C-alpha cells in the first residue's frame, strides 16, 4: 500500500505544480492520480481478505468541513497506517500497543471511507478507474499468452 500511496502523492504533487524531477523515473511514468488511488483502494480491500476477516461496514462520512486535498490525503495516509499496523499485529510482526487500535476490518473500512472522500474531492470516478484497471490487466494477460 505504501508504494501506491507514494505514487498517489507524486501525482498530487505534480497537480499542485511542484517540481518532481528528482522523484521521477522516465522509464516508469506515474501520471494518473485516479489510477493510483484505485490501486490504494484495491490494496486496502485486499487486507481483510488476506487476513480471512469479515469486512466491516463503512463508517459514516465525516461532516462536510474545511478539509482540502492535503487534509484528505493525510486522513488516507493515517487510516492506511492504522490498517498496516493492524495487519502487522495480526501476523505477529508488531506488539500490541497501548490503547485500542482498530481491528483489520474496522481499519480497512476507515481507509475505504478516506479513499472515497479523497476521490470525491478530486472529482475522480473510482468505478471508472477500476474498469480501466481491469481492461489493462486483461490486455496484459492476452499479450502474455501470445508471447509464449
Amino acid at each position: 500500500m505504501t508504494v501506491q500511496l507514494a505514487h498517489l502523492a507524486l501525482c498530487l504533487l505534480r497537480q499542485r505544480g511542484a517540481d518532481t524531477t528528482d522523484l521521477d523515473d522516465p522509464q516508469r511514468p506515474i501520471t494518473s492520480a485516479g489510477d493510483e488511488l484505485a490501486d490504494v483502494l484495491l490494496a486496502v480491500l485486499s487486507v481483510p481478505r488476506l487476513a480471512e476477516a469479515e469486512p466491516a461496514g463503512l463508517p459514516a462520512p465525516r461532516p462536510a468541513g474545511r478539509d482540502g486535498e492535503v487534509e484528505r490525503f493525510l486522513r488516507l495516509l493515517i487510516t492506511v497506517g492504522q490498517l498496516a499496523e493492524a495487519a502487522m499485529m495480526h501476523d505477529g510482526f508488531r506488539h500490541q500497543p497501548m490503547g485500542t487500535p482498530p481491528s483489520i476490518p474496522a481499519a480497512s473500512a476507515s481507509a475505504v471511507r478516506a479513499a472515497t472522500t479523497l476521490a470525491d474531492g478530486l472529482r475522480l470516478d473510482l468505478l471508472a478507474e477500476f474498469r480501466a484497471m481491469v481492461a489493462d490487466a486483461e490486455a496484459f494477460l492476452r499479450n502474455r499468452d501470445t508471447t509464449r
Side-chain angles (χ1 to χ4, degrees):
M1 287 181 292
T2 56
V3 171
Q4 287 79 21
L5 276 172
H7 290 174
L8 175 59
L10 182 61
C11 292
L12 296 177
L13 273 173
R14 281 195 201 107
Q15 288 178 3
R16 298 176 72 80
D19 178 6
T20 61
T21 53
D22 60 324
L23 303 170
D24 293 333
D25 179 352
Q27 301 300 315
R28 190 176 181 196
I30 298 168
T31 58
S32 172
D35 178 62
E36 298 306 333
L37 185 53
D39 287 347
V40 170
L41 187 55
L42 182 61
V44 162
L45 292 168
S46 298
V47 173
R49 176 78 178 115
L50 293 170
E52 298 178 354
E54 289 294 319
L58 294 181
R62 290 176 38 82
R66 297 185 313 204
D67 282 2
E69 178 183 299
V70 172
E71 292 82 5
R72 289 181 184 124
F73 178 77
L74 291 174
R75 289 182 190 284
L76 176 60
L77 182 62
I78 291 164
T79 57
V80 166
Q82 290 171 334
L83 176 57
E85 182 177 49
M88 290 172 65
M89 288 184 310
H90 175 271
D91 290 340
F93 293 110
R94 175 141 170 72
H95 70 279
Q96 175 71 35
M98 303 234 350
T100 50
S103 66
I104 288 175
S108 176
S110 292
V112 168
R113 173 61 70 204
T116 57
T117 299
L118 178 59
D120 291 346
L122 296 172
R123 291 181 165 66
L124 295 173
D125 181 347
L126 284 175
L127 186 54
E129 296 295 340
F130 273 106
R131 286 184 180 127
M133 190 185 301
V134 169
D136 285 346
E138 288 174 344
F140 171 79
L141 291 173
R142 274 193 304 277
N143 288 338
R144 185 172 165 220
D145 287 342
T146 60
T147 59
R148 286 184 175 187

